[in-house]
Amino acid sequence: MYQTSLVNCIFLFPPLSGLEGNQTDLDKRKEIFGKNLIPPKKPKTFLQLVWEALQDVTLIILELAALISLGLSFYHPPGESGGEMCGSAAGGVEDEGEADAGWIEGAAILLSVVCVVIVTAFNDWSKEKQFRGLQSRIEQEQKFQVVRGSQVIQLPVADILVGDIAQIKYGDLLPADGVLIQGNDLKIDESSLTGESDHVKKAADKDPMLLSGTHVMEGSGRMVVTAVGVNSQTGIIFTLLGAGVEEEEKKEKKGGAVEDGHQNTVKKQDGAAAMEMQPLKSAEGGEADEKEKKKVSAPKKEKSVLQGKLTKLAVQIGYAGLVMSSITVTILVLYFSIDNFVMKKRPWMAECTPIYVQYFVKFFIIGVTVLVVAVPEGLPLAVTISLAYSVKKMMKDNNLVRHLDACETMGNATAICSDKTGTLTTNRMTAVQCYIGDVHYKKIPDPGVLPPKSLDLLINAIAINSAYTTKILPPDKEGGLPKQVGNKTECGLLGLILELKRDYQPIRNQIPEEKLYKVYTFNSVRKSMSTVIKLPDGSFRMYSKGASEIVLKKCSHILNEVGELRVFRPRDKDEMVKKVIEPMACEGLRTICVAYRDFSNDPEPNWDDENNILNDLTAICVVGIEDPVRPEVPDAIQKCQRAGITVRMVTGDNINTARAIAIKCGIIHPGEDFLCIDGKEFNRRIRNEKGEVEQERMDKVWPKLRVLARSSPTDKHTLVKGIIDSTMADQRQVVAVTGDGTNDGPALKKADVGFAMGIAGTDVAKEASDIILTDDNFSSIVKAVMWGRNVYDSISKFLQFQLTVNVVAVIVAFTGACITQDSPLKAVQMLWVNLIMDTFASLALATEPPNESLLKRKPYGRNKPLISSTMTKNILGHAVYQLVIIFTLLFVGEQIFDIDSGRDAPLHAPPSEHYTLIFNTFVMMQLFNEINARKIHGERNVFDGIFRNPIFCSIVFGTFVVQIVIVQFGGKPFSCQPLNLEKWMWCVFLGLGELVWGQVIATIPNLKLRFLRRAGQLTRKDELPEEDVNEENEEIDHAERELRRGQILWFRGLNRIQTQIRVVNAFRSSLYEGLEKPDSKTSIHNFMSHPEFRIDDSTPSIPLIDDTDDDSARRRRKYSSQPSSPNKNNNAIDSGINLTIDISKSAASSSPASPLHSLETSL
């Protein structure tokens, strides 16, 4: 296959003009070589999903109980008085009309189980379908540049064919296998295939094979596609993987050994098609090796905040339900046994055994009913519905969610580290100022005033030393702006050529890409791009462009006002930085320096010696390029800040440019206490002498850091990791990161939520991300926060409602069973209640649309319990109301409504009106409480925005209609007796009381209720995987304890010295205010100061000077439990230094002569 395709591509077609684009030819290629598609794994059928839903333990218990009940209902003991002879229990347990319709209860339970299973299976099926839709959308979005008929066009990856010439560049994920025919400094990351992390250099004459699924890390080039789809390298592996999984399943059934395909389990999690690239490695090792791999391959990603809390809550509720149901069954069995065999002294007769078993099964069914009602199995349903609904709606808000839980995690975000270009700015670069021929032009000059030699050099430097894929095309609409294609900074420079009334295309035609002698492509280390061409006389010229301060450092000459070379001394560089670059940067302009250098051809320079080649340059021009802030960004950032989210800008730009943009965006405000530093200073502050990052140092930097300029991708990753790992605050920070470049991959992966840019983002960044911003706009992130919070609130609303029902139903079933030996709510009624409360309520409450008020509160954080004190108050308050009503109806209802009591009904009596009244009132109260549950923060107006959610209205109305049908026509299966209009009015009236009672509850302050606060609360221990906890415990040895004891003594002594110094200073300068407010600090940075030269090593948020002994004791306790620093030996000393520096800020302005100053120095 490979040889045929190679012959076909390379010999039958001119390599550079590509395929003709002739339809017959394209179809033939598709037929012979296949399409560039890997067929996805077959989805699960509906029946498979039904079978999976049936595996639920609770449902299995119910099915068994129902089957036993059904079987035994057809057995009648011998003789007329068999029933009397074999003992008795209260009427309700042996259901009414059991002689004629004993099978009904068992059948009804089975029917309810079928309903629950079908609903669950349908939900899973629609979720799977949605994921496939999402996956295909992601695949359609991926396009690739291909040359067809000498034209460069963008094609969807699936349409690429064998023989196509694909243009590859930095950041691409290769969509097919191919042979490189022209390359510039091309380096490929083949780790996804080979596992080797080193980048592989590729050239047309040396190692030209390019494989699908690998990443272009540097450079650019063109390749002829030789294999696509299942014949490509990735396709072959996926095919093996798919076959492996099927074989594995067969082997597992036979109990055979497991070989390959464990990676597919990763995909099973999210049901997505197998197209999503996973790092693939061949499984060649033996069984032990395989086990090792399995350990490694288990995803160690932390649970999302909500998942963690829900899992914990479900376990807590499960235990409670199990205990209650066990007690119920035990009491019923004991009561029956004692009553019959002890009190009435009946013997155990063999022929009565089935009757006794039938009684015990009845008791068991009541117990299981209690358990069913106690466990909110609608919870996973509510979560899924809420997330699926949100994901669908987020598409409209330009958020393409790749991982479901990212949507909810975003609601808890406390920090966003955002790129500048394209996210906060429009990514439409325009050159607005330039410095050329010793003159700083504040706007683009007329070409006539510029030295002709300088102008020619500038035009050539920009036209040749840019990616040839970067172009400026005429506008789509008349009167619109020209279309910028490719790298936006280069587009800004090409725009400068057009403004200088010249054209770059003739120059490119004269020197096509193949004639470029050597290209040093842009990367994050170089921060510049250089291109070498061979001149007609055989000598070489190199054009270079890049960040102005970096390129200027390498310049030894500059062109003067007549275009002649003059020496460019260090003094001139400093002056240029002060007079040209800084003023441009302060106006928010990105400064680019364009330079060149000539080389002789005898001897030819060693082009691999980069340090010498990229040196001794001649500066032609410095251009100030503007990238205006998106108009909607300042407002979006303000919303984030109001919502308790810190926005940090991490950019590769100059610090002054970054600061100016940050001020325009509202990230920093004049007079605030913030840090605005560059990558170099950042690394100096967070690394120790060995160059290792220390968390303790990081904790001094990140809380105040707002702008990190001139940062490398490693800095970005370090910052994100430092914020996430920090233990300073009691809440763990939840960090969102935006990224577009290949090198942003690690930071996007490390972050809790990674946002990739849909337009400017590389394939690698998109693959590492959780959410893709289809419009590259920061304000879409704010919408993601809003949706995330809405998901959390929807689940809380559902929980508040569900738990009220559970508490009431469990107590009613339990006390009813214990007092009257019969549950007032029958098993089938309970299952109906469970169905409306679980499935329908989850649908109604989980589809509430979000509103702006969600952004007016702080994030919940990981440690806040899922059930807030307001929710606890609501749950208990409404439960009390419902229990009072139900017990009143149960024990005195027959007298109030003048009806027969259902409590002591004889055995084969029809369903009683009394118990029907209780059941109907119970359901009515739930319906009206569902309206109350729409608000969980103590709001009074529960009807606010109710008509914005048609699903909610239709579900409430639908449930009401079905309830009427059940009560009036349900008969024996539902144990219901039809009610007249008056009784219906009473039921509705008692239900309406819920709304009034809700207003009463809203007036009770939360402070009175401190219990039930920890339900579903995550502690730090829950967040750590078990191994980590054990490791931590092992680490603290006796030496550590001694050290800590020493630390406490050290702090005690230090405290005394501090207090004495403070008293002395207070008397000396009468700083009484300082005594009152030891924490008050003045702003470190005034507006537009240069914080990069200031060092602020203060430890935030730990007040250090103690006013009382009490205080000092408390703080000493706090210090003694501080996390130890990595360099354990210097722990106390480190802390001491931090402390003294902090005092210098907080206590008194220490003059060099003051005792405080000398203490600092000695320390």
Side-chain angles (χ1 to χ4, degrees), residues 24-40:
T24 354
D25 174 45
L26 298 181
D27 291 342
K28 196 173 175 193
R29 280 169 187 278
K30 265 185 206 165
E31 200 184 317
I32 298 170
F33 301 112
K35 289 170 89 176
N36 196 20
L37 273 179
I38 296 170

Side-chain angles (χ1 to χ4, degrees), residues 182-240:
Q182 182 260 317
N184 299 320
D185 199 19
L186 194 66
K187 285 186 186 165
I188 305 283
D189 173 12
E190 293 187 345
S191 60
S192 58
L193 288 176
T194 61
E196 295 295 328
S197 56
D198 293 342
H199 298 168
V200 183
K201 252 190 163 176
K202 298 280 181 181
D205 53 350
K206 184 179 148 226
D207 190 9
M209 292 306 297
L210 300 174
L211 303 172
S212 60
T214 57
H215 297 133
V216 182
M217 298 311 280
E218 261 184 54
S220 61
R222 292 179 178 198
M223 74 167 186
V224 177
V225 176
T226 57
V228 292
V230 286
N231 302 315
S232 69
Q233 206 55 42
T234 305
I236 291 166
I237 290 173
F238 266 122
T239 317
L240 284 173

Side-chain angles (χ1 to χ4, degrees), residues 1035-1048:
E1035 269 177 27
I1036 301 172
D1037 55 4
H1038 297 291
E1040 181 80 9
R1041 274 190 213 128
E1042 284 304 312
L1043 187 65
R1044 288 193 177 174
R1045 197 176 299 157
Q1047 237 179 316
I1048 296 169

Side-chain angles (χ1 to χ4, degrees), residues 853-873:
S853 63
L854 289 166
L855 294 173
K856 287 180 184 157
R857 60 169 177 75
K858 301 281 179 270
Y860 282 132
R862 286 183 167 262
N863 305 4
K864 193 174 186 327
L866 193 56
I867 301 171
S868 66
S869 47
T870 311
M871 286 166 67
T872 309
K873 179 179 75 176

Side-chain angles (χ1 to χ4, degrees), residues 5-15 163 179 181 224 226:
S5 52
L6 273 166
V7 169
N8 213 12
C9 310
I10 296 171
F11 301 116
L12 299 185
F13 290 99
V179 174
I181 51 175
V224 177
T226 57

